Every structure is written in structure tokens, then in C-alpha cells.
Amino acid sequence: MKLPDFTDANSFRAFRSDPSRWLPIALDIARSHGLDTGAPHVFATGTNLVVGLGENLILKIFPPLLRAQFVSERGSLTQLKGRLHLPIPEIAAEGTRDGWPYLVITRLTGTLGSEVWPQLPEDQKERLLRQIGETITSVQRAPLGPLAAIEPRWDAFIRQQMQGCRARHTRLGLAPKFLAGLDDLLRDAQELIPMDAPPVILIGEYIPENFLLACDDGQWSLAGLFDFGDVLAGWRDYDLLGPSAFMAAGRPGRVKSLLEGFGYAKPDFALKRRLMALMLLHRASDLNAHVCIDGWQDQANDLVELQDLIWAG
């Protein structure tokens, strides 16, 4: 049994979507570490090959073309171990099979955020967003260690994103009225986004699919954080974008809770402008798909009005 070589992402995705082609190899890896393979659970979503081993462990296998995600995940779990108030996976074993690096990590307990978030009452959503803001700050207090060398470097990343910004959002169908203000926004971004400030750990995706929740006496709280495959080192505000787009939904109370948890007071024009620029420059940016405000395209006439809509209050 041998893991194949892939030169393109589409071929790998087709391979990943058919567990019969790779699960026997995953179980062989697990057995080589003396792990329980009696009741494997294949996770259908995600980027890499992921299988649950019993109740307590998860095996993640990374194709060579996504080795950067392995480096990011391994470095982040190592660097953040013991430094957060929130549980994160711990590395139980690691290795390489046919050039594919893998990690065996501990499995966290809790309910996936995306299963709970839509049904929560407003006060519970504000409570969780404050906790998310506090968690982002806690992660960013941790020393970078080897993550300081992770690629791409912040200044190169932002400049590359700026160069491709108009083409990207034109292709993704952003309305012309928003595209019209893009050059002005990018010009402002060069002054508003620090390029050489001390970098911090950026997870990039504080979204309901990447954290676990637990309920105690009717109160929901963060219970775990996972998926560190897209970590960058850069300017701290970048990690406000996921919860701003997917969770705050332009509700003033939610925006206030997130920003206060992060350590910001009421957002001024400069902060909103910087966040708007970063949202358009995010490596996964797609406003039409990601801004969770009903009818936002009709509620704003330009990017300035849009930033006031997203970060209301």
C-alpha cells in the first residue's frame, strides 16, 4: 500500500473523496504506532485526509503539495501548547509515509460551533464573540518561536494580495459599485496596514467550523479550538475578519462584544477602513459568499458604507 504522488489539487481532492483508496493506508499508519483502529471515522470535510481513531485521537495525513499546512499545524500546536486557557489538540505521534507527513493529535470534546451558533439567542452570541475576541488576543500573546519563519512573510503576502485584489473580486462577481472604490481603499491600506510591526500568530479562521462549544447551566462557552493549517505571522487585526464576516453580521452588540474582547473600544473610521481593506485582502476573501448580512449588497452604495454596515456601532 503506497500513497500516490499528486501534482495538482484536483487529483488529490478526487483521491480524498474516495476513502476506499486511502483508509487502509491510514489504518496501517495507526497500527504502526500501536493505536486503536477498531472503529475509524472518516471526516468527509476538510482539506487533508482525516480519520478519527476511537474516542480520543485523530490522524491527519497531508499530501506533499500541502506540506505547508503540516508545517503550520505542527508548529502552531507545539508553540501554543500550555499557553492558552482554551483546549487545543496535542500531538500524540508524527511521521512520514511515502513523502506524506502526518500527525496524530488528541480529539477535543464539545459540540461543533456551526451546529449550535445559528440557534443561539442574541445574548449568547454576544457572550461567545467576546470570548472569541479574548481568545484571539490570548493566542497573539504567545511567542512566535519557529512560526516567525513561516511563509509567506507578512509584507510579501499583503503586497501580493494587493496586486491580485481587483482581478480576484472581479472574478468573484463583486458589484461594480464596490469595485469602483477599490483603488482608493488599497491606497489607504498602504498607510493603515502595518507592514513592519512585530508580527503575531494569525490563525486566519476563527469561524464556527473551527471551534467547539459546551453548555453549562444554559450558558454556552468556547470549549476548544482546532485546525491550524493556515497560520500566518502578521498584523493582529487580520484575525478579526472571520468572526466579523461569519458571526457578527453587522449587529452592533455583537461587533462591540468581539472588539472589546479583543481589546478595542468603539471602532473609529481608521479601524473600520483597515478591517475593510484586510477583508478584501484575506487569502480566502469572497464577500458575496462570506458576509453574513442579509441583503448587504443593497444596503451599501460603496465600500465606505459597507464598512459601516459590517462594523456597526
Side-chain angles (χ1 to χ4, degrees):
M1 294 183 292
K2 190 176 187 300
L3 288 165
D5 294 325
F6 292 110
T7 56
D8 67 276
N10 288 334
S11 298
F12 167 66
R13 280 194 288 267
F15 176 76
R16 181 175 61 82
S17 67
D18 184 1
S20 67
R21 298 174 64 188
W22 58 266
L23 183 58
I25 303 173
L27 297 181
D28 192 52
I29 291 172
R31 281 190 291 269
S32 75
H33 290 278
L35 303 177
D36 176 18
T37 60
H41 170 72
V42 173
F43 290 87
T45 58
T47 307
N48 301 286
L49 310 182
V50 185
V51 56
L53 304 170
E55 295 294 320
N56 301 317
L57 295 173
I58 289 174
L59 170 62
K60 295 185 73 170
I61 310 172
F62 303 76
L65 57 84
L66 295 178
R67 181 176 177 80
Q69 291 202 358
F70 166 78
V71 172
S72 173
E73 181 106 12
R74 183 184 183 277
S76 300
L77 293 179
T78 301
Q79 195 62 18
L80 293 172
K81 181 179 179 180
R83 289 192 163 102
L84 304 181
H85 67 282
L86 195 66
I88 63 171
E90 295 187 11
I91 299 174
E94 61 181 284
T96 304
R97 173 72 172 259
D98 303 320
W100 294 49
Y102 63 82
L103 293 172
V104 179
I105 58 177
T106 55
R107 192 169 185 171
L108 303 177
T109 59
T111 304
L112 192 64
S114 55
E115 296 178 5
V116 177
W117 178 259
Q119 290 80 39
L120 291 179
E122 195 64 21
D123 65 324
Q124 294 283 300
K125 290 182 175 179
E126 291 179 7
R127 168 187 166 86
L128 283 168
L129 278 164
R130 183 177 297 275
Q131 291 179 5
I132 289 170
E134 293 168 349
T135 297
I136 295 172
T137 298
S138 180
V139 169
Q140 294 181 355
R141 287 196 193 104
L144 278 172
L147 294 174
I150 208 161
E151 296 289 345
R153 300 300 177 95
W154 177 251
D155 56 345
F157 168 72
I158 289 296
R159 290 190 177 97
Q160 182 180 15
Q161 294 299 99
M162 284 181 173
Q163 289 172 6
C165 186
R166 176 172 291 278
R168 175 190 184 92
H169 290 289
T170 300
R171 173 174 55 83
L172 292 172
L174 188 64
K177 64 181 179 180
F178 300 122
L179 289 172
L182 204 51
D183 290 343
D184 288 341
L185 182 64
L186 293 176
R187 193 178 306 113
D188 290 348
Q190 295 182 48
E191 300 295 328
L192 291 170
I193 300 175
M195 295 293 188
D196 54 2
V200 297
I201 297 174
L202 301 174
I203 304 301
E205 292 186 321
Y206 286 91
I207 56 178
E209 289 78 9
N210 288 351
F211 55 74
L212 298 171
L213 302 177
C215 187
D216 181 24
D217 195 24
Q219 294 288 311
W220 286 91
S221 299
L222 289 183
L225 182 67
F226 63 94
D227 194 351
F228 298 87
D230 293 314
V231 163
L232 287 170
W235 178 247
R236 62 192 305 258
D237 291 2
Y238 186 80
D239 267 349
L240 288 169
L241 305 178
S244 292
F246 287 92
M247 303 174 71
R251 303 285 188 92
R254 296 189 205 175
V255 172
K256 181 175 185 287
S257 296
L258 172 65
L259 294 181
E260 286 185 352
F262 186 70
Y264 280 155
K266 184 176 180 179
D268 58 16
F269 178 84
L271 176 59
K272 292 181 183 182
R273 192 70 167 160
R274 180 164 64 246
L275 292 174
M276 189 74 255
L278 287 169
M279 185 172 281
L280 285 157
L281 296 172
H282 193 283
R283 64 181 2 157
S285 181
D286 181 355
L287 268 61
N288 288 330
H290 296 159
V291 176
C292 296
I293 301 174
D294 290 338
W296 64 266
Q297 292 94 334
D298 298 323
Q299 295 185 51
N301 293 310
D302 54 36
L303 290 175
V304 174
E305 291 186 9
L306 181 57
Q307 67 197 33
D308 286 336
L309 183 66
I310 296 173
W311 292 282

